[in-house]
Amino acid sequence: MGEDSGKDASTNLPLAIYLLAAFSALGGFLFGYDTGVVSGAMILIREEFELNTIWHEVIVSATIAAAWLSALIAGPATDYFGRRPVILSASLVFAVGAVVMGAAQEKIMLLIGRIIVGIGIGFASMSVPVYLSESSPVELRGRMTVTNTLFITGGQTVASIICGAFSTVTEGWRYMLGLAGLPAVMQLVGFSFLPESPRWLVAQGRIREARDVLRKIRCESADLDTELDAIKEAVSGSSHEGGIKQILKSRPVRRALLLGCLLQLFQQISGINTVMYYSASIITMAGVSDKSLAIWLAAATSSMNFLGTFIGLWLVERLGRRPLTLGSLFGTMVSLLLLALSFQMAYNDSPNVSVPSTVPDCQADTCGVCTSQSACGFCYVGDNSNITSSFCVAADHASYNEMSTSGLCANSSLLDSGTVTFAYDWCPFQYAWLSLMGLALYLLCFSPGMGPMPWTINSEIYPGWARSSCTSITTAVNWASNLLVSLTFLTLTEVLLKQGAFYLYMGLAGLGFVILFLLLPETRGIPLENMEKLFSGSVFHISRW
């Protein structure tokens, strides 16, 4: 298919297809907003609710765990009830969760709100890509599904800006979390007027309704009869019901499912959500101690993710899925190496501890050694470029490590005045900008390919009878690996140190590059009804590069 075919087709599309894409992708916005807002909000919440490290990680991860379980439920639900009712349910559930979080008076209520939001995200993350893929013209299918990812990264950017705006407001975290209810209500109202997926309608035998839907969302010159006949033939030619046994018995679908799971797995274990969930913490690790400044810098780096998705939107139907994915993974490896090297330099060149510690567990001669121990922090007098005296002291976990248990950094008045600084998980470093540049480069490389392509490819490589079940499984793999990464990141930074954690993510991204180079085919321009044939041939797809 020529480069201009998608461009020409897009100029003749009816308004309905644009509304369909926009209101569907609001589910992606909610997904992105939540992953973006939790980084900034938790800086304020952990102090107000006096959360320790375990509660911090549980509240962050509860949404991911709920999304993982609800994504598994969403597959059978979309097959039985339809794609549209599940998306409507997702927006309603998310709106309720946002209200609960914004009104939370203590940590248990906040946790419940996070779980409710996670259920809505799980439903939306599975059903929206399938709905968009099944409703899109073949020549624009990639752009339509990337639109969902564009809204995800847009949601993350808006969340970062909201966090910055409310970072100095009393109980500003309530506004940060509660405002997520507005786009949820917008999607609930807007999606009420949108049609069901034409492919699902055909599978239910509702051919006339499917034709009416296609007439609304296709340009006037489209051959509706040919498209409808292809959908009917694909549905009638399949004797499968989409169960896991039938999926595993079909060699092409089994191979497609393996590829889909690998795409979602490597999207997460290459470190994306350590950047999104803990971006403000990573910036603090780089030596930026001011909370508000850390939140605003997180917003600036997050905008790279949003801008990079536009590159993917432009290239997906021009360059194709395969080169976009592999090029993105290679850039991700390079940026992870830069991040690892910057933290390696910060550790090796960290300031000396000038006053020996009296705490047995906090014996260290440099800041790097001191802060690598979770029980300790680096307390110093002066500014980052002129430290006059420094100590390795025990951290006060009741204050979420923002103060020490003794010494100068146990005095909140001195800390607030800036006379002394307590660096719990970072060290003063004159080249902190290298870490910030690494974060921005990572997001700019990740967002055009590894951000949208796992969702785009997964929404199109399965036959109709297996699409919901397979997408449900691969979405659950995404959330399960997301949960694993988010739960282990802070622990990895203690065991392997910060640089070791990023070296590990770089190695995993490299492994993903090799595997996907061998297994990933090009799906651009192939009708959904022909995807099964694509996976009936050779296992390896190197020649398709």
Side-chain angles (χ1 to χ4, degrees):
M1 181 169 296
E3 178 181 319
D4 296 332
S5 59
K7 188 188 301 183
D8 295 339
S10 65
T11 60
N12 299 319
L13 288 175
L15 177 62
I17 196 69
Y18 293 105
L19 293 175
L20 183 148
F23 281 112
S24 299
L26 276 174
F29 182 90
L30 296 173
F31 174 7
Y33 185 89
D34 181 79
T35 58
V37 79
V38 70
S39 174
M42 287 305 296
I43 291 179
L44 306 179
I45 292 171
R46 68 191 186 189
E47 183 175 358
E48 181 166 338
F49 287 168
E50 298 182 350
L51 302 178
N52 57 26
T53 302
I54 294 176
W55 265 101
H56 180 195
E57 292 187 335
V58 166
I59 287 175
V60 169
S61 303
T63 296
I64 309 170
W68 166 45
L69 294 174
S70 61
L72 288 172
I73 298 171
T78 54
D79 275 339
Y80 187 82
F81 297 106
R83 286 47 165 154
R84 181 174 171 272
V86 173
I87 296 174
L88 285 169
S89 300
S91 55
L92 177 61
V93 170
F94 198 102
V96 172
V99 171
V100 173
M101 289 191 302
Q105 298 300 314
E106 39 83 32
K107 57 190 177 185
I108 297 296
M109 188 175 177
L110 179 63
L111 178 62
I112 292 172
R114 294 283 298 162
I115 292 172
I116 295 173
V117 163
I119 294 172
I121 290 176
F123 280 168
S125 63
M126 180 269 147
S127 55
V128 168
V130 170
Y131 178 81
L132 283 170
S133 178
E134 292 186 342
S135 302
S136 305
V138 63
E139 68 273 9
L140 292 177
R141 189 177 63 233
R143 291 184 189 174
M144 291 280 283
T145 49
V146 171
T147 298
N148 185 52
T149 307
L150 181 65
F151 273 64
I152 292 175
T153 56
Q156 290 166 339
T157 302
V158 170
S160 298
I161 295 171
I162 293 294
C163 287
F166 288 101
S167 61
T168 57
V169 175
T170 303
E171 294 192 331
W173 62 268
R174 296 189 184 278
Y175 299 97
M176 298 176 191
L177 299 177
L179 284 173
L182 294 179
V185 172
M186 287 174 59
Q187 185 184 45
L188 182 63
V189 173
F191 215 85
S192 301
F193 299 96
L194 294 180
E196 181 55 84
S197 157
R199 284 173 171 79
W200 185 84
L201 291 172
V202 170
Q204 305 303 309
R206 295 155 63 175
I207 308 300
R208 181 176 297 177
E209 291 180 55
R211 181 185 293 275
D212 290 340
V213 171
L214 286 173
R215 185 178 294 112
K216 293 177 182 177
I217 62 176
R218 296 290 186 267
C219 58
E220 294 181 1
S221 60
D223 189 347
L224 300 184
D225 291 333
T226 300
E227 182 174 0
L228 197 59
D229 288 342
I231 297 172
K232 287 192 290 184
E233 182 179 354
V235 171
S236 63
S238 174
S239 58
H240 303 284
E241 296 180 357
I244 187 65
K245 289 184 179 180
Q246 288 76 19
I247 289 171
L248 295 178
K249 286 179 180 178
S250 171
R251 180 171 175 268
V253 180
R254 188 171 64 243
R255 285 172 49 188
L257 178 60
L258 173 62
L259 173 64
C261 290
L262 288 171
L263 281 164
Q264 297 288 28
L265 174 67
F266 284 114
Q267 184 197 62
Q268 293 302 319
I269 64 175
S270 58
I272 180 58
N273 280 308
T274 63
V275 173
M276 295 315 302
Y277 289 132
Y278 296 105
S279 57
S281 298
I282 291 174
I283 290 169
T284 301
M285 289 177 187
V288 180
S289 57
D290 182 82
K291 290 182 186 178
S292 182
L293 178 59
I295 290 174
W296 277 113
L297 285 173
T301 54
S302 178
S303 66
M304 295 296 100
N305 198 23
F306 180 53
L307 294 174
T309 309
F310 281 99
I311 300 174
L313 185 67
W314 182 66
L315 290 177
V316 65
E317 297 297 354
R318 291 174 166 83
L319 191 62
R321 281 65 154 160
R322 177 180 163 87
L324 198 53
T325 301
L326 295 177
S328 173
L329 254 181
F330 183 80
T332 296
M333 291 166 54
V334 172
S335 53
L336 285 170
L337 176 61
L338 178 60
L339 273 170
L341 289 174
S342 68
F343 283 113
Q344 182 82 56
M345 293 169 62
Y347 182 83
N348 293 339
D349 298 332
S350 63
N352 292 324
V353 174
S354 61
V355 180
S357 176
T358 58
V359 181
D361 293 335
C362 295
Q363 299 297 318
D365 55 356
T366 66
C367 175
V369 175
C370 177
T371 58
S372 66
Q373 306 170 72
S374 61
C376 310
F378 184 69
C379 178
Y380 64 94
V381 180
D383 57 37
N384 288 6
S385 59
N386 184 27
I387 297 175
T388 57
S389 59
S390 56
F391 318 83
C392 186
V393 291
D396 181 5
H397 289 272
S399 65
Y400 199 81
N401 312 315
E402 294 177 353
M403 297 173 61
S404 63
T405 57
S406 61
L408 296 176
C409 288
N411 188 326
S412 59
S413 298
L414 292 177
L415 288 168
D416 292 340
S417 67
T419 305
V420 297
T421 303
F422 186 59
Y424 168 68
D425 58 359
W426 56 276
C427 289
F429 182 47
Q430 61 178 328
Y431 299 112
W433 58 269
L434 282 175
S435 297
L436 300 181
M437 188 173 72
L439 277 178
L441 181 62
Y442 177 95
L443 293 173
L444 195 59
C445 291
F446 184 92
S447 53
M450 281 306 291
M453 289 305 103
W455 300 104
T456 297
I457 296 169
N458 264 293
S459 69
E460 60 188 11
I461 59 177
Y462 310 112
W465 61 268
R467 188 169 298 123
S468 289
S469 296
C470 288
T471 306
S472 176
I473 292 169
T474 56
T475 302
V477 168
N478 182 286
W479 286 112
S481 49
N482 185 334
L483 179 63
L484 174 67
V485 170
S486 63
L487 280 175
T488 58
F489 173 64
L490 295 180
T491 303
L492 282 174
T493 60
E494 293 179 9
V495 176
L496 302 178
L497 304 183
K498 303 172 186 71
Q499 59 270 26
F502 287 108
Y503 282 132
L504 175 62
Y505 295 139
M506 181 190 69
L508 293 172
L511 177 63
F513 181 88
V514 173
I515 291 175
L516 294 179
F517 182 81
L518 295 172
L519 300 182
L520 179 63
E522 181 55 69
T523 59
R524 179 180 56 157
I526 299 176
L528 294 180
E529 289 68 36
N530 294 343
M531 285 294 175
E532 206 164 350
K533 297 178 183 177
L534 182 64
F535 289 90
S536 299
S538 172
V539 174
F540 301 111
H541 298 274
I542 300 174
S543 61
R544 293 181 181 272
W545 176 255

